[in-house]
Amino acid sequence: MTIDLHYYPSTASMVPHIVLEEIGVPYQRVLVDRMQNAHKTPDYLKLNPNGLIPVLIDAELTLYETAAICLHLCDTHPEAALAPALGTEERAHLYKWLMWLTNTLQATLIIYFYPERFALPGNTAGAAEVKTQAETKIGGMLDQLDAELARHDGPWFGGQAYSLLDPYVLTLCRWTRNFSSPAARTRPQLGPYLQRMLARPAVQRVLAAEGLAPPFV
């Protein structure tokens, strides 16, 4: 069965997009044009009632939530070794960081990009304050990522072994590339790490397939 990834360039769908390329299984991309509000159409809402991207269809399974999609891909393709073995300490730490990335860093990035959602309608000053506070909090989170890389001194976020965490870290760090305060690429550990990520063939294929142009991070 062919796997379908419903995606839009440079959104959270980039994470499973890279994972699929790393795994190397057949799949097809299904563009959901956010600029035309395709993610809010009745047909798409049948796949994900939240109206968010991505959605993965794998045979009879329809799955949304980026972290869940990535875990499913790793569990169904263990030969790709993108996650430590079940029941291990390493697997527990992968769960910890995966949930932190999606529930803490990504959630705060959403506040930064859509501050008007967290202020009363028309309160532009309030939205601007929300955006500033979110950027400050994100700066501290990027420092936390940088410190974790320094702690284990491995080439990948989890240490010596590349894992599904790496596409997630890359994607979220990419979102900070236009920050007015220092972006992820300026940090001593994250900067070289992001360049190692960009050099991976799977990442290069995704950047090309999504039609993205420099600066990538």
Side-chain angles (χ1 to χ4, degrees), residues 12-35:
S13 61
M14 180 181 284
V15 185
H17 195 175
I18 296 172
V19 169
L20 283 164
E21 285 291 334
E22 295 283 3
I23 290 171
V25 295
Y27 74 97
Q28 61 183 11
R29 293 179 293 271
V30 181
L31 179 66
V32 182
D33 192 346
R34 291 180 75 249
M35 298 300 100

Side-chain angles (χ1 to χ4, degrees), residues 32-210:
V32 182
D33 192 346
R34 291 180 75 249
M35 298 300 100
Q36 300 299 322
N37 282 326
H39 57 310
K40 304 298 184 182
T41 63
D43 284 346
Y44 189 79
L45 292 174
K46 291 177 183 177
L47 302 177
N48 184 351
N50 303 295
L52 298 173
I53 302 167
V55 165
L56 185 88
I57 299 179
D58 186 358
E60 299 302 314
L61 174 68
T62 298
L63 194 62
Y64 52 86
E65 294 298 331
T66 302
I69 290 170
C70 291
L71 283 172
H72 167 71
L73 290 172
C74 291
D75 291 344
T76 52
H77 300 90
E79 71 284 353
L82 292 180
L86 287 169
T88 62
E89 183 177 321
E90 292 79 11
R91 182 80 172 208
H93 283 298
L94 179 136
Y95 289 146
K96 174 191 71 179
W97 281 110
L98 184 62
M99 301 314 144
W100 184 89
L101 288 165
T102 186
N103 291 333
T104 303
L105 178 54
Q106 184 176 349
T108 311
L109 281 160
I110 294 301
I111 295 172
Y112 170 84
F113 285 114
Y114 303 101
E116 68 280 358
R117 297 178 182 175
F118 303 90
L120 291 173
N123 186 359
T124 55
E129 188 173 331
V130 168
K131 186 182 183 79
T132 298
Q133 286 295 99
E135 186 169 1
T136 299
K137 287 182 176 295
I138 292 163
M141 294 172 194
L142 295 177
D143 290 339
Q144 190 174 346
L145 293 178
D146 200 71
E148 177 64 11
L149 285 164
R151 182 189 68 79
H152 60 61
D153 196 31
W156 308 116
F157 188 74
Q160 295 300 317
Y162 183 90
S163 75
L164 68 88
L165 295 176
D166 293 294
Y168 223 131
V169 172
L170 170 67
T171 299
L172 298 186
C173 284
R174 170 179 160 76
W175 293 359
T176 74
R177 66 193 181 280
N178 295 321
F179 269 30
S180 57
S181 62
R185 66 178 178 274
T186 65
R187 286 164 169 76
Q189 303 297 325
L190 276 172
Y193 163 80
L194 293 172
Q195 293 306 311
R196 289 193 293 274
M197 283 297 299
L198 291 175
R200 290 186 71 88
V203 173
Q204 288 291 316
R205 291 194 296 271
V206 168
L207 294 172
E210 297 196 2

